[in-house]
Structure formats: C-alpha cells, structure tokens
Amino acid sequence: VVAAPAWAAVPGGHFPAHPSDLANFMSGMAAHFKGRVQAYEVWNEVNFAVEVGAGQINPGQYVETLKVVYPAIKAADPAAIVVSGAPTPTGVNDPNVAIPDVTYLQQMYAYQGGVVKSYFDALGAHNEPFGNQPEETVATHTAPAYSTDPTFFFRNVEAYRNLMVQSGDGNKGIWETEIGYDSNPLAPASYSYAQGITEQQQADWTVRLFKYAKANYPWMGTMFIWNLNYQAVVGQTDEKWGFGYLRGDYSPRPAYTALATM
C-alpha cells in the first residue's frame, strides 16, 4: 500500500496526511482479504521524499502512523503479519531527497523510547546490492561503481540486524520486500551499474544471495524478488526493465530458471 489518493495525501506527496485514513483503509482491506492475504507492509521507502513528500521524511510521524494502523489491521485479522515500511538505500543524506536508511531506522527506534517495537511484526528492508556481488562489503568490493557507500551492498542488512538487537527487538525477523539484480545494457545513466551485469551474472548472483542469506542470517524471513515481469510493462530504457526475471513474452530469463531450480 504505497499511495494515498490526492484528497488524503500530504501536499506534493503520496503519504496520508491523517493516519486515521490509512488505518480505516487497512482495516477494510484486512477484513476483506482475511484468510487470503497473510501480510501487509505499511508504506514503502519511508526515508525517500518521492514516497512521503518533500520535507516530509519524519521517522516519528511514521511511528505515529504505525501506532494507529497496526491495531486496525490486527483487529480486522489477528493472524495478519504487519511489516514495517522498508527504507531505501540511496547513499544520499539530504532531508529534501532522502536520509540514510540506517539513520532513519535509528531515529525510528529512538522515538518515544522505542515504542515502535509494539507496532510491527517484521522489519521491512530493501537492501539492494546494486552492482555488487552478494558476499561483498564496502571494504571488499570489486565493482567500480556504486561501491563507495555501505548501503550499496546486500550485507548492509547486518547493520539493520545489529540495530534491532541493540534496541531490544532481536526477537523479530527482517523481510526483504524488494531484492534483486538489474541486468540491462540499455539502462539509463543513473543505473549505469546495470549495463555491466549480464543475464548470467544476474542469475548466478541472485542464487548466491539467497544461499548467503540462508547460511548466515537465521533471522531473515521472507525475501521477495524485485521484480518478476517488468519487461511486460515498460520499455528497455526504463531502469525497471532489467530487474525483470521474465521477458516481455513471459519466457524465463536465466535468473528465473536458476531460482526455480535452486
């Protein structure tokens, strides 16, 4: 659930101006899909102005939203899993654009003495690896681009985990609600790393990423590939095209087959 209608949104953004509106919507949604939908992620990339509105990046306000939305979902479907809105890794620290994902989570946990711990069941994450192999870190990288900041590596999820443990929230898991590699020789300049990732590398690195998580992260929960079939809906010069694990005609790319047989 990522966009409020204009009448309910903050000026210039998608985020709901009033948490009660989102709570009412999520309550109705959870009641309607009870027994069919297992989990709900409350918003998306909440540290990014594109998703919450310019000047609206506010971890405390997000916690206040969870404080209203979480009990509304649970009242409608007590079995539903509520996932916190995943921050996005950007390497940017500008409150008008984005604040670092770990910084956002630190502030979220610090707000009102960690009250947020009572208002989600799994921590949402988007630890995209950009052009870096899954086992690499900022100290051991081989890629020439998108490698100077820890947030450009899948293993930055370890910083999330450490923060959760330090905050007394280590009993919860982390859900990667977007994870994958972008392979596209015609990707735009802002996604230049994708131009150098072959389809076979996309396949190999994705399999290694899942295997690394399984071997090293017992606290990792569900991981969602981003994305299954973008090639069916956008052109190749769109950065999302290369994230697709199926082609536009729904035939498999090597990464799809590699995952299916993993």
Side-chain angles (χ1 to χ4, degrees):
V1 179
V2 297
W7 63 264
V10 297
H14 307 301
F15 199 74
H18 304 289
S20 58
D21 289 333
L22 182 60
N24 289 337
F25 178 83
M26 294 305 299
S27 174
M29 189 175 182
H32 180 77
F33 287 109
K34 185 177 182 180
R36 293 182 286 166
V37 171
Q38 294 174 295
Y40 299 92
E41 182 177 15
V42 183
W43 227 256
N44 176 62
E45 301 190 341
V46 284
N47 65 324
F48 192 25
V50 169
E51 301 294 342
V52 297
Q56 302 284 338
I57 302 173
N58 187 329
Q61 179 58 36
Y62 180 64
V63 174
E64 290 296 330
T65 300
L66 284 177
K67 286 166 69 174
V68 177
V69 173
Y70 181 86
I73 294 173
K74 291 293 190 177
D77 182 0
I81 298 166
V82 178
V83 184
S84 62
T88 183
T90 65
V92 173
N93 188 10
D94 180 342
N96 293 311
V97 179
I99 64 174
D101 48 355
V102 174
T103 300
Y104 188 96
L105 293 175
Q106 289 171 336
Q107 294 177 7
M108 188 177 83
Y109 271 112
Y111 181 76
Q112 292 185 350
V115 68
V116 72
K117 292 184 288 185
S118 298
Y119 295 103
F120 69 92
D121 302 316
L123 188 81
H126 288 175
N127 296 109
E128 295 288 0
F130 291 77
N132 301 297
Q133 298 180 53
E135 306 87 358
E136 293 182 327
T137 69
V138 71
T140 63
H141 65 84
T142 56
Y146 290 89
S147 57
T148 57
D149 191 283
T151 63
F152 296 147
F153 296 83
F154 170 59
R155 286 186 57 186
N156 199 48
V157 70
E158 294 167 18
Y160 290 25
R161 176 61 184 174
N162 291 339
L163 175 61
M164 293 177 75
V165 172
Q166 293 164 9
S167 302
D169 213 18
N171 60 313
K172 293 177 185 167
I174 296 176
W175 284 27
E176 292 285 353
T177 56
E178 290 185 16
I179 197 75
Y181 280 99
D182 191 345
S183 170
N184 181 3
L186 298 182
S190 57
Y191 284 74
S192 59
Y193 67 87
Q195 299 170 8
I197 298 177
T198 67
E199 287 194 328
Q200 191 58 52
Q201 286 175 322
Q202 182 191 41
D204 294 343
W205 294 359
T206 303
V207 168
R208 280 165 48 194
L209 186 148
F210 274 82
K211 288 184 174 179
Y212 189 89
K214 185 172 183 179
N216 295 282
Y217 301 154
W219 33 264
M220 181 67 76
T222 305
M223 298 171 65
F224 294 85
I225 282 292
W226 178 258
N227 186 281
L228 183 66
N229 58 346
Y230 255 130
Q231 292 192 13
V233 293
V234 299
Q236 190 169 356
T237 56
D238 187 301
E239 76 276 1
K240 295 185 290 296
W241 185 95
F243 281 107
Y245 281 63
L246 293 175
R247 304 191 194 283
D249 62 0
Y250 287 83
S251 62
R253 296 178 90 185
Y256 182 94
T257 303
L259 283 173
T261 57
M262 183 173 58

